[in-house]
Amino acid sequence: MDTSPWRAPLLWRGAQTLARAVVGLVGRLEVTGDVPADLRRGPLILAANHISPFDPVVLATACRARRIAPRIMATGGLFRAPVIGALMRRAGHIRVDRGTTGVHRSLEIAAAAVSGGSVVLVYPEGRIGLAPGMWPERGKTGTARLAFASGAAVVPVAQWGSHEVLPYRAPKGMLRGLARALRRRPVIRVHFGAPVTLHDLRPGTPGAARHATDRIIDAITDTLAPLRPYEPDLPRHVDPGRPVDASRAHRRHRGG
């Protein structure tokens, strides 16, 4: 059996180059922070906030700037699409069928990928966040369980500005959003934070996955704050098609 570390296919590296060109057309990308050199080729978990359908394009570009080619845990709907689905599979990304028993299988596949040396990008919130202020929502425990199962480091990644490119309900309103972005070219910021400390938590003990999840969301929130200093409460750009749901609001857990 081949035990060599996973390497990104040429197709995925080419897609990252294309993503950089697309982002450059519709916005001005600023990437700050970094990933320790010994973690860039994995094993590593990148945990990002989710604010827009445009996020994967932005994060693919930001990761390329930091010499990382992550495997993305993406919704099963993308994999069911006739052309995109085949490309996602060939690029090595991992399908997640939310709300089904297949979610557990997805976690097993991701854990094996990380343990085998891959970098895997996840959205701990499990959906595009709907909190009124667009701060990270209370996370699902899958990312924490993935970290426990693989023993890999978790690096928080915060992004801000992609919500000004594509509306929440894209493809509805997509052309209007892209035209607006082409004209205004909003600033899109991505910051790679410091690895999250989880080593003091014991996997399998009651509440461990929840505590780890809260720390990960706290770290993403702290990493996001400097990216939106003039929008501490509500975003300046309001998408009228974006629903609001405060039921999963995350409360900062200081002191772990």
Side-chain angles (χ1 to χ4, degrees), residues 13 18 105 114 128 144-145 152 176 197 210-211 224 250:
R13 297 198 299 271
L18 177 61
R105 177 59 180 156
V114 176
I128 295 177
R145 297 181 191 280
R176 187 182 307 110
T197 300
R210 184 72 257 163
H211 286 310
L224 175 61
H250 173 73

Side-chain angles (χ1 to χ4, degrees), residues 5-246:
W6 183 84
R7 291 293 176 260
L10 181 61
L11 174 68
W12 178 218
R13 297 198 299 271
Q16 284 187 285
T17 300
L18 177 61
R20 182 177 66 172
V22 171
V23 173
L25 283 174
V26 299
R28 292 164 286 163
L29 182 64
E30 298 178 358
V31 182
T32 53
D34 207 346
V35 174
D38 59 326
L39 296 179
R40 285 181 198 142
R41 292 184 177 272
L44 175 65
I45 300 166
L46 297 175
N49 63 322
H50 203 359
I51 61 175
S52 164
F54 197 58
D55 292 347
V57 182
V58 169
L59 290 174
T61 305
C63 285
R64 186 185 187 282
R66 291 298 179 263
R67 302 172 297 284
I68 304 170
R71 302 174 71 173
I72 301 174
M73 294 190 73
T75 179
L78 289 175
F79 288 83
R80 290 190 292 272
V83 177
I84 295 177
L87 293 176
M88 293 287 287
R89 287 188 291 272
R90 287 188 60 188
H93 301 310
I94 300 168
R95 174 174 175 163
V96 181
D97 290 305
R98 298 189 179 99
T100 72
T101 56
V103 168
H104 301 291
R105 177 59 180 156
S106 300
L107 186 60
E108 292 174 359
I109 294 171
V114 176
S115 297
S118 293
V119 178
V120 171
L121 171 65
V122 298
Y123 298 109
E125 295 164 276
R127 67 176 185 180
I128 295 177
L130 301 179
M134 292 184 65
W135 289 98
E137 295 182 322
R138 183 173 70 250
K140 302 289 188 178
T141 59
T143 304
R145 297 181 191 280
L146 176 59
F148 287 158
S150 64
V154 178
V155 167
V157 185
Q159 59 179 324
W160 188 247
S162 62
H163 60 295
E164 297 190 43
V165 178
L166 286 184
Y168 174 84
R169 297 191 185 278
K172 182 179 180 180
M174 182 174 68
L175 293 180
R176 187 182 307 110
L178 288 174
R180 179 184 182 277
L182 282 166
R183 185 173 66 254
R184 299 189 178 185
R185 297 192 70 241
V187 176
I188 302 172
R189 299 181 174 92
V190 178
H191 184 73
F192 292 85
V196 183
T197 300
L198 300 176
H199 60 78
D200 59 314
L201 299 176
R202 295 179 58 189
T205 58
R210 184 72 257 163
H211 286 310
T213 300
D214 289 340
R215 286 189 190 179
I216 292 168
I217 297 296
D218 284 348
I220 296 173
T221 302
D222 289 345
T223 304
L224 175 61
L227 304 186
R228 48 179 295 185
Y230 305 112
E231 303 171 79
D233 299 314
L234 296 174
R236 286 194 301 255
H237 175 76
V238 177
D239 178 357
R242 183 192 193 91
V244 173
D245 178 8

